[in-house]
Amino acid sequence: MERKDWPLWEVFVRARNGLAHRHFGSLHAADAKMALEMARDVYTRRAEGVSVWVAPSAAIAASDPADKDSLFEPMAEKIYRHPTFYAIPDQVKNL
Amino acid sequence: MTARFAYLLRLGDTALVLGHRLAEWCGSGPTPEEDIALANIGLDLTGQATAWLDLAGAAEGKGRDADALAYFRDGTDFRNLLLAEQPNEDFGHTMVRQMLFDAWHVELLGGLERSADAGIAAVAAKARREAEYHWRRSSDWVVRLGDGTEQSHARVAESLVRLWPFTGEMFARDAVVAELVTEGIAPEPAPLLQAWNRRVDAILTEATLTRPADGWMQSGGLEGRHGEALGHLLAEMQSLARQHPGAKW
């Protein structure tokens, strides 16, 4: 009998209502239904979430680590893109 | 032994023994994901057992708590369903056992939620939500394996035939059950059986499995007459607590 491994799924969990789903990890499962059940047991058994998404890892397009010089390095010296050059008035709270 | 004490022992012992059976899979599940899932469900059942056995100890009124009842009674004092103590064998066998149990468990807990006994109703309400999930998983697996490969179909079909004679005990209406039904504490078994049939028949159809004939049914677990397998299970489960009585960690 041919032995096939189950495909890999990426798991996203929303910790609380109002927050965005966050990537939690991955797992193997035969299909989406099983992946959701496995995710429930593997990633939310300590009450980490209120909602789970799973997506086939194969469906995710990722940037190539070899491209990091052109994709991400140039941003390192553009500190003016951070909003850190404003004097914040003392009256402004919660920023 | 009062009927209420006996009934609570049945609930607690069944959850405890089946929980331990599932815990035996820890470290040898078919995949890491499934390993964690089996252990989680085992822990759910062990948690339920703690709640039932604490109520049982209170009903007995001799100062025994869940630990005393779980670890310091012998096999003949256990009142669990025989189905719960059946060995795991292969993963398919474990899932068939679980599916047959969960279909009953969900319905029973639903009935106990409406119990005239507030303590029992509270434990049942919490446990029923867990059982719903257990049922979803176990029935899903039986469908996958039954409607899977030739080999998986043949194996779960055989498990179904072998485990079927242990299902009758879940619907027994002996003096203990009859008394609690009269008092409004426990649900009547006959409607439970109807609901169980609907659940199980639907899953077996989807799984392309044939429902075994309702022939002779095993009984005895509810009165403390168990198979050899329970003795081995208890020896392992109780050894630590008996070597170090009262130990805390």
Side-chain angles (χ1 to χ4, degrees), chain A residues 1 3 6 8 26-38 40-42 45, chain B residues 30-34 36-37 40-41 43-44 129-130 133 136-137 140-141 144 149 151:
Chain A
M1 200 183 95
R3 193 191 160 104
W6 289 337
L8 195 63
S26 55
L27 51 75
H28 287 91
D31 57 25
K33 186 180 177 198
M34 189 193 286
L36 280 172
E37 290 179 4
M38 296 292 200
R40 184 259 195 196
D41 282 314
V42 176
R45 69 205 179 98
Chain B
T31 68
E33 292 86 348
E34 192 54 44
I36 292 173
N40 278 351
I41 292 171
L43 282 173
D44 282 351
R129 292 198 295 273
E130 295 172 343
Y133 177 70
R136 218 164 92 172
R137 259 181 45 85
D140 189 34
W141 267 116
R144 286 176 192 279
T149 65
Q151 188 190 172

Side-chain angles (χ1 to χ4, degrees), chain B:
Chain B
M1 188 185 287
T2 64
R4 191 165 172 278
F5 177 44
Y7 191 77
L8 285 164
L9 280 184
R10 292 175 182 185
L11 293 171
D13 289 347
T14 296
L16 180 68
V17 167
L18 187 59
H20 187 82
R21 278 284 180 239
L22 293 176
E24 288 173 353
W25 273 105
C26 193
S28 48
T31 68
E33 292 86 348
E34 192 54 44
D35 197 279
I36 292 173
L38 286 162
N40 278 351
I41 292 171
L43 282 173
D44 282 351
L45 289 169
T46 307
Q48 294 173 17
T50 308
W52 292 131
L53 291 178
D54 274 334
L55 285 180
E60 186 194 31
K62 290 184 183 166
R64 291 202 282 183
D65 62 3
D67 281 352
L69 289 169
Y71 297 121
F72 296 95
R73 280 180 305 148
D74 293 328
T76 48
D77 296 326
F78 271 73
R79 295 290 183 268
N80 59 281
L81 293 168
L82 295 172
L83 180 67
E85 72 194 50
Q86 296 311 303
N88 289 334
E89 303 200 10
D90 60 31
F91 179 71
H93 196 77
T94 295
M95 283 301 122
V96 172
R97 184 187 67 201
Q98 195 66 34
M99 185 276 289
L100 295 171
F101 172 82
D102 291 337
W104 168 78
H105 204 208
V106 171
E107 297 294 339
L108 174 79
L109 293 170
L112 289 174
E113 263 184 278
R114 296 185 291 277
S115 174
D117 182 313
I120 289 177
V123 173
K126 177 173 177 290
R128 204 247 318 140
R129 292 198 295 273
E130 295 172 343
E132 296 269 12
Y133 177 70
H134 303 167
W135 159 254
R136 218 164 92 172
R137 259 181 45 85
S138 62
S139 61
D140 189 34
W141 267 116
V142 169
V143 170
R144 286 176 192 279
L145 296 169
D147 192 19
T149 65
E150 207 172 301
Q151 188 190 172
S152 71
H153 177 90
R155 285 169 79 160
V156 290
E158 195 205 323
S159 294
L160 187 63
V161 169
R162 287 174 50 214
L163 291 168
W164 198 258
F166 296 104
T167 60
E169 209 180 18
M170 298 190 283
F171 308 101
R173 195 183 195 284
D174 62 1
V176 168
V177 175
E179 184 177 331
L180 294 191
V181 167
T182 308
E183 291 171 5
I185 294 177
E188 187 70 67
L192 287 186
L193 176 59
Q194 285 174 0
W196 183 82
N197 279 332
R198 279 194 297 275
R199 281 180 187 267
V200 171
D201 287 348
I203 289 304
L204 294 184
T205 303
E206 205 181 331
T208 71
L209 291 164
T210 309
R211 181 185 163 113
D214 284 324
W216 174 79
M217 291 286 179
Q218 275 280 11
S219 62
L222 303 179
E223 288 86 43
R225 296 192 307 279
H226 297 280
E228 184 187 352
L230 182 69
H232 296 290
L233 182 151
L234 293 182
E236 185 175 345
M237 189 183 82
Q238 296 177 331
S239 61
L240 190 70
R242 290 191 180 206
Q243 280 168 36
H244 306 279
K248 301 263 182 242
W249 60 85

Side-chain angles (χ1 to χ4, degrees), chain A residues 30-95:
Chain A
D31 57 25
K33 186 180 177 198
M34 189 193 286
L36 280 172
E37 290 179 4
M38 296 292 200
R40 184 259 195 196
D41 282 314
V42 176
Y43 291 113
T44 68
R45 69 205 179 98
R46 299 190 184 95
E48 291 93 338
V50 294
S51 166
V52 177
W53 290 348
V54 293
S57 307
I60 290 177
S63 59
D64 185 341
D67 290 341
K68 110 173 133 56
D69 284 352
S70 59
L71 285 179
F72 307 117
E73 285 293 316
M75 263 70 90
E77 61 199 36
K78 298 185 172 67
I79 52 168
Y80 50 85
R81 289 184 180 170
H82 291 278
T84 51
F85 296 93
Y86 303 95
I88 297 175
D90 291 338
Q91 293 85 343
V92 176
K93 305 288 183 205
N94 304 321
L95 196 68

